[in-house]
């Protein structure tokens, strides 16, 4: 991928994957998971760390919880919280903290 991809593209793919996993009209969880993994890979390639909190929130809360156990999303959500605070993305940090509480409750963690 060399043309037409920017740092925001990774976030766009993550958001699209989250929509695919949650909207009843689309509801294609396997494709959503693949698109979420693509967004994580783009995040790594583009080194767009400032988008980590938003991307992790979309991928690990809305998409991956449909295909993996909730516990597998706890560590990435904690990372999203920390990165959100570090980059001043308070809204994503607060969302990650809320998501950690929800995932912890439903997975039986304290």
């Amino acid at each position: 991928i060399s043309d037409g991809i920017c740092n925001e593209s990774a976030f766009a793919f993550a958001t699209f994957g989250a929509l695919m996993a949650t909207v009843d009209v689309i509801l294609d969880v396997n494709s959503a998971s693949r698109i979420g993994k693509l967004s994580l890979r783009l995040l790594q390639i583009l080194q767009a760390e400032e988008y980590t909190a938003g991307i992790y929130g979309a991928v690990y809360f809305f998409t991956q919880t449909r295909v993996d156990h909730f516990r597998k999303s706890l560590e990435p959500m904690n990372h999203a919280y920390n990165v959100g605070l570090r980059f001043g993305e308070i809204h994503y940090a607060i969302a990650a903290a809320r998501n950690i509480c929800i995932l912890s409750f439903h997975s039986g963690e304290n």
Side-chain angles (χ1 to χ4, degrees), residues 1 11 16 24 27 31 39 42 55 58 69-70 79 104 110:
I1 301 176
F11 184 74
F16 181 64
D24 288 337
L27 204 58
S31 295
S39 71
L42 279 175
I55 292 170
H69 195 281
F70 287 172
H79 180 67
S104 295
N110 292 330

Side-chain angles (χ1 to χ4, degrees), residues 11-88:
F11 184 74
F13 280 113
T15 305
F16 181 64
L19 286 172
M20 288 183 71
T22 57
V23 175
D24 288 337
V25 176
I26 304 170
L27 204 58
D28 185 357
V29 177
N30 293 325
S31 295
S33 179
R34 286 194 317 244
I35 290 174
K37 289 176 184 175
L38 172 65
S39 71
L40 294 173
R41 181 71 178 125
L42 279 175
L43 178 67
Q44 181 182 15
I45 290 170
L46 298 171
Q47 298 175 347
E49 193 174 6
E50 66 273 16
Y51 292 98
T52 299
I55 292 170
Y56 272 40
V59 172
Y60 288 106
F61 187 73
F62 291 106
T63 306
Q64 289 308 112
T65 54
R66 311 271 187 209
V67 294
D68 287 330
H69 195 281
F70 287 172
R71 284 189 185 112
K72 290 185 178 182
S73 292
L74 286 172
E75 183 65 33
M77 291 306 325
N78 191 34
H79 180 67
Y81 171 75
N82 291 321
V83 171
L85 288 179
R86 190 170 71 229
F87 281 95

